[in-house]
Amino acid sequence: MSAARARLLARVARNLLTREAGEAWRHRATEDSGHARAQRRAVAVREAFEQLGPFYIKVGQILSTREDIVPTSIARELENLHDRASLLPFTHMEPVLETALGRGWRRMFQSFDTHRPLGAASLAQVYAARLDNGRPVAVKVQRPHIRHVVEEDMKMLQRAARHFAARAPVFNATIDTKAMLGVILDAMRPELDFVLEAGNMDRARASARSFTLLNVPDVLDATPTVLIQSLAPGMSIRDADPTAFKREERIAIGREILAYMYQGYFTDMVFHADPHPGNIFVSPGEPATLIDWGMVGHIDRRLSMSLMLILLSLSRNDGTALAKAWIDMGRLTAWADVSAFAQDMTTLVPKITTASLEELNFGTTLAQVLSHSTRRGIQTSPMVSILGKSFANTDGSVRYLAPELSVTGVFQDQMRTILFDYARDALSEAQAARTAMELLIAAQSAPVNCAVCCATSPTRNSRCRWPQSPNNVSHPPRTASTAV
């Protein structure tokens, strides 16, 4: 780790400790309320994550959905984390363009606005430009040396996670911090290599072709540190005026955004992991544009199907079924209380089933389920952290444009398509071959049914594993599978 980075980490930690000491003195000297202290602490934690940069910001955003790990006040404040950074002068960014595109990079463009970037984050700055053929584009340029900083942060947190897991085995049995951190690392790696991000965009664009009101920018050129893409029309969905859209248009756009995300979770098995309002652009009369494909989640079919069962149970107002599907998605600890968790869900689910986005934050609801499961000793798949972030960002973004939409209502509309895809996969030649191989392996490894072989042989079979019964016939233990 560089000396400058070590100094920053030490300074941020020192400031937090100093603030806590000051809060303790203030509490003794005044009648300050506990709520006010908790809120000031939450703001300080959020500001610390922002000071530490992109990787810590992503971790903080994940923690905003994990009220089972951090206090509610901090989780709520971490929802306000934004990847904002001070603007670097273009003289710092131009060497990155020269290295990636060559010293004659300016000849590729008719114009390049070096004075007013479209955006500035801790990983990159984005500039408006016009290609030599006149096409308007956005040029994303990675900040100098930022990849090394993030990779060092990743290594340090991985070491910290291993250290924590060894010293807090009970906590780690319920919340696998190392696995959760690994999921975040895998999802974030394309943000450090724009060639990987460009590949994500190409796949996402192909997946979006069946949607008439949703688009993904075209990739025109990509290197690890520079990405040139078509310019998204309009503005952030957060800044758009809903009254500028016809009611049918804004609801249709919101519905397609939700449907597209469901397609990622349940059909494509790849989804945008960071669809916050700044990454969705809208304009009246234009399709919505989903930008910034640096953070992408990958989900396997088993987990996808478990998530499908959870949403299906939610849409049918069935808390008991939701509890079972959630448990199947994770693992029970030795102290798990399954019946209490089922009761938690039967209380929670009726509050959610018919709620609109105006009344419900589905990402927060998922966090509540996660909090209940952790408290009841149920370890959940580490991928749920990324899924929770994606869910929370999606419904939060759509809420700006179409708050009257029902999350479960859109899910029910998409359910037939999703189930058809599952059925098609189950009946595919590859799945049939896999099933056949599993049956063959099971047949080869199954224990010999000694009750049959011993009954038909005058002497005990040498392969017999079960103890002999008084009549010289061995029987396997009576189980659910052998009982009639």
Side-chain angles (χ1 to χ4, degrees), residues 156-387:
M156 189 191 73
L157 271 189
Q158 282 177 312
R159 289 194 296 268
R162 288 195 296 269
H163 181 83
F164 179 80
R167 284 157 180 76
V170 174
F171 179 90
N172 203 66
T174 307
I175 300 171
D176 190 339
T177 52
K178 182 181 176 183
M180 185 176 72
L181 186 60
V183 167
I184 300 173
L185 299 181
D186 290 341
M188 193 178 168
R189 287 192 192 283
E191 295 201 74
L192 304 176
D193 185 341
F194 294 161
V195 173
L196 298 179
E197 182 175 347
N200 290 339
M201 292 173 68
D202 290 340
R203 286 185 289 273
R205 193 181 317 104
S207 179
R209 283 178 186 149
S210 59
F211 295 86
T212 58
L213 296 175
L214 194 64
N215 195 16
V216 175
D218 294 325
V219 176
L220 306 176
D221 196 7
T223 75
T225 57
V226 174
L227 176 63
I228 304 175
Q229 59 189 339
S230 57
L231 193 64
M235 63 188 69
S236 160
I237 198 170
R238 180 198 294 114
D239 302 325
D241 179 7
T243 63
F245 296 77
K246 295 179 181 178
R247 183 179 185 276
E248 296 78 9
E249 180 186 23
R250 63 181 181 79
I251 289 178
I253 289 174
R255 187 178 295 276
E256 287 215 351
I257 292 172
L258 288 171
Y260 180 68
M261 294 303 293
Y262 287 139
Q263 178 175 297
Y265 304 140
F266 302 115
T267 302
D268 299 338
M269 308 297 165
V270 180
F271 59 91
H272 198 306
D274 201 17
H276 63 74
N279 284 340
I280 301 177
F281 275 52
V282 294
S283 178
E286 298 278 356
T289 307
L290 203 52
I291 67 170
D292 195 354
W293 287 85
M295 193 171 187
V296 170
H298 297 264
I299 183 172
D300 66 24
R301 185 159 291 271
R302 180 180 177 82
L303 183 59
S304 171
M305 294 179 77
S306 294
L307 183 63
M308 172 71 170
L309 280 174
I310 288 168
L311 290 187
L312 185 60
S313 302
L314 185 61
S315 69
R316 293 176 59 83
N317 193 18
D318 191 339
T320 302
L322 187 150
K324 182 179 184 305
W326 188 274
I327 290 169
D328 289 344
M329 191 167 64
R331 184 180 67 82
L332 296 178
T333 63
W335 59 90
D337 190 340
V338 173
S339 61
F341 178 62
Q343 184 59 49
D344 293 338
M345 294 303 98
T346 57
T347 302
L348 178 66
V349 166
K351 303 174 185 177
I352 305 168
T353 301
T354 59
S356 69
L357 282 170
E358 194 170 26
E359 303 162 330
L360 168 74
N361 184 320
F362 189 74
T364 300
T365 301
L366 193 63
Q368 290 175 341
V369 177
L370 186 54
S371 182
H372 283 296
S373 70
T374 300
R375 182 159 54 91
R376 301 303 187 186
I378 300 164
Q379 187 188 89
T380 309
S381 166
M383 181 55 70
V384 169
S385 296
I386 295 289
L387 285 166

